[in-house]
């Protein structure tokens, strides 16, 4: 990435989260090009803490589970940022919830239901069997501002096949301020942290003690 692109990215982040946080995120990104030093916040959303939706009255939102044919078509369109790994996740049993604005495809979120999600290359965790793991949410730029992220969280927990689940677990990079703010709008709360130290190929993993009572632990792939 050129210096001009880096400056533009910093300015864009600063408009959303302020210059201090934007600079911290940029430094974090530079450091992690050479070493692995990541602090991941494990977050939890229970049904009881779902925040009421603030929907845009001028638009109609809807959702449904994607088919493999739809995912294959989306993978062929670069605007969706949907790679081969997500398609493999689907074939392994994960599901993708599509969201629509006035019947126009607007974004998605992914759901892992098998209790052993991968949260980083080489790092898998075990989560309670009565919870879902939510990841890889994305909204097309032209549909941001419609409240689709919290809408999808409601839609996931209201899917008939998942109504017996008590809530969802996910993670967010500690310096991803925009994502942290968006998750909190749904009612997500921080459970604890996972710290990765080393290189991208070989790193040590440190789970905070707050995760132990919830049964979250590292497991083999």
């Amino acid at each position: 990435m050129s210096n001009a692109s880096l400056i533009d990215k910093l300015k864009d982040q600063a408009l959303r989260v302020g210059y201090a946080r934007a600079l911290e995120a940029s430094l974090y990104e530079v450091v992690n090009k050479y070493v692995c030093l990541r602090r991941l916040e494990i977050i939890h959303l229970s049904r009881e803490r779902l925040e009421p939706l603030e929907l845009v009255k001028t638009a109609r939102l809807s959702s449904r589970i994607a088919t493999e044919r739809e995912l294959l078509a989306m993978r062929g369109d670069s605007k969706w940022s949907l790679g081969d790994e997500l398609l493999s996740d689907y074939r392994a049993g994960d599901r993708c919830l599509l969201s629509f604005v006035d019947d126009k495809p607007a974004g998605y979120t992914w759901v892992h239901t098998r209790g052993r999600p991968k949260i980083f290359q080489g790092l898998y965790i075990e989560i309670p069997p009565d919870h879902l793991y939510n990841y890889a949410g994305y909204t097309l730029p032209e549909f941001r501002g419609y409240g689709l992220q919290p809408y999808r969280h409601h839609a996931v927990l209201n899917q008939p096949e998942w109504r017996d689940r008590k809530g969802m677990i996910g993670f967010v990079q500690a310096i991803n301020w925009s994502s942290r703010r968006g998750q909190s709008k749904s009612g997500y709360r921080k459970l604890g942290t996972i710290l990765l130290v080393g290189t991208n190929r070989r790193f040590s993993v440190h789970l905070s003690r707050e995760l132990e009572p919830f049964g979250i632990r590292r497991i083999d792939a």
Side-chain angles (χ1 to χ4, degrees):
M1 184 179 292
S2 67
N3 290 336
S5 297
L6 286 171
I7 292 172
D8 289 340
K9 183 177 180 180
L10 179 61
K11 288 180 178 178
D12 180 62
Q13 286 183 318
L15 288 173
R16 290 181 281 114
V17 302
Y19 276 99
R21 287 180 170 180
L23 182 59
E24 182 180 352
S26 297
L27 290 173
Y28 184 89
E29 187 175 324
V30 170
V31 168
N32 277 280
K33 287 182 179 179
Y34 305 99
V35 298
C36 178
L37 180 60
R38 299 177 185 269
R39 185 160 61 92
L40 313 178
E41 294 194 350
I42 302 301
I43 54 179
H44 174 238
L45 174 62
S46 67
R47 289 185 179 276
E48 293 75 16
R49 283 207 306 260
L50 269 174
E51 294 288 344
L53 289 174
E54 297 180 5
L55 300 178
V56 177
K57 295 181 179 179
T58 57
R60 184 175 66 86
L61 307 187
S62 58
S63 64
R64 61 176 171 77
I65 301 296
T67 65
E68 183 170 354
R69 178 177 293 182
E70 288 173 319
L71 294 175
L72 285 169
M74 292 166 67
R75 185 186 61 171
D77 188 339
S78 60
K79 73 178 183 180
W80 285 108
S81 301
L82 198 156
D84 291 338
E85 185 174 2
L86 286 174
L87 190 60
S88 296
D89 289 343
Y90 177 86
R91 289 169 176 164
D94 289 3
R95 289 297 173 258
C96 174
L97 182 87
L98 300 177
S99 53
F100 302 82
V101 174
D102 294 331
D103 297 324
K104 298 175 183 177
Y108 57 72
T109 195
W110 284 76
V111 181
H112 175 93
T113 63
R114 293 163 286 138
R116 300 165 63 90
K118 180 178 75 174
I119 65 170
F120 190 77
Q121 188 63 41
L123 174 58
Y124 291 75
I125 62 172
E126 182 176 38
I127 66 171
D130 54 4
H131 279 68
L132 301 167
Y133 178 78
N134 184 223
Y135 68 106
Y138 180 70
T139 301
L140 291 176
E142 60 266 36
F143 293 107
R144 290 170 188 169
Y146 285 90
L148 284 169
Q149 187 175 29
Y151 170 79
R152 288 191 293 258
H153 294 152
H154 277 255
V156 166
L157 289 176
N158 285 321
Q159 287 293 309
E161 59 266 48
W162 299 325
R163 283 180 180 164
D164 62 330
R165 304 300 177 100
K166 293 182 178 179
M168 296 192 294
I169 289 171
F171 89 90
V172 63
Q173 296 267 9
I175 48 78
N176 192 340
W177 308 108
S178 297
S179 183
R180 287 174 62 180
R181 183 174 58 189
Q183 302 286 14
S184 67
K185 288 181 179 179
S186 294
Y188 267 105
R189 297 293 183 268
K190 177 182 173 182
L191 277 181
T193 60
I194 297 179
L195 182 66
L196 311 182
V197 181
T199 69
N200 287 329
R201 292 186 177 181
R202 193 172 185 178
F203 50 81
S204 59
V205 180
H206 307 274
L207 280 73
S208 67
R209 291 183 178 179
E210 294 89 345
L211 299 176
E212 292 178 7
F214 216 74
I216 296 176
R217 62 186 182 91
R218 185 184 184 184
I219 56 175
D220 294 330

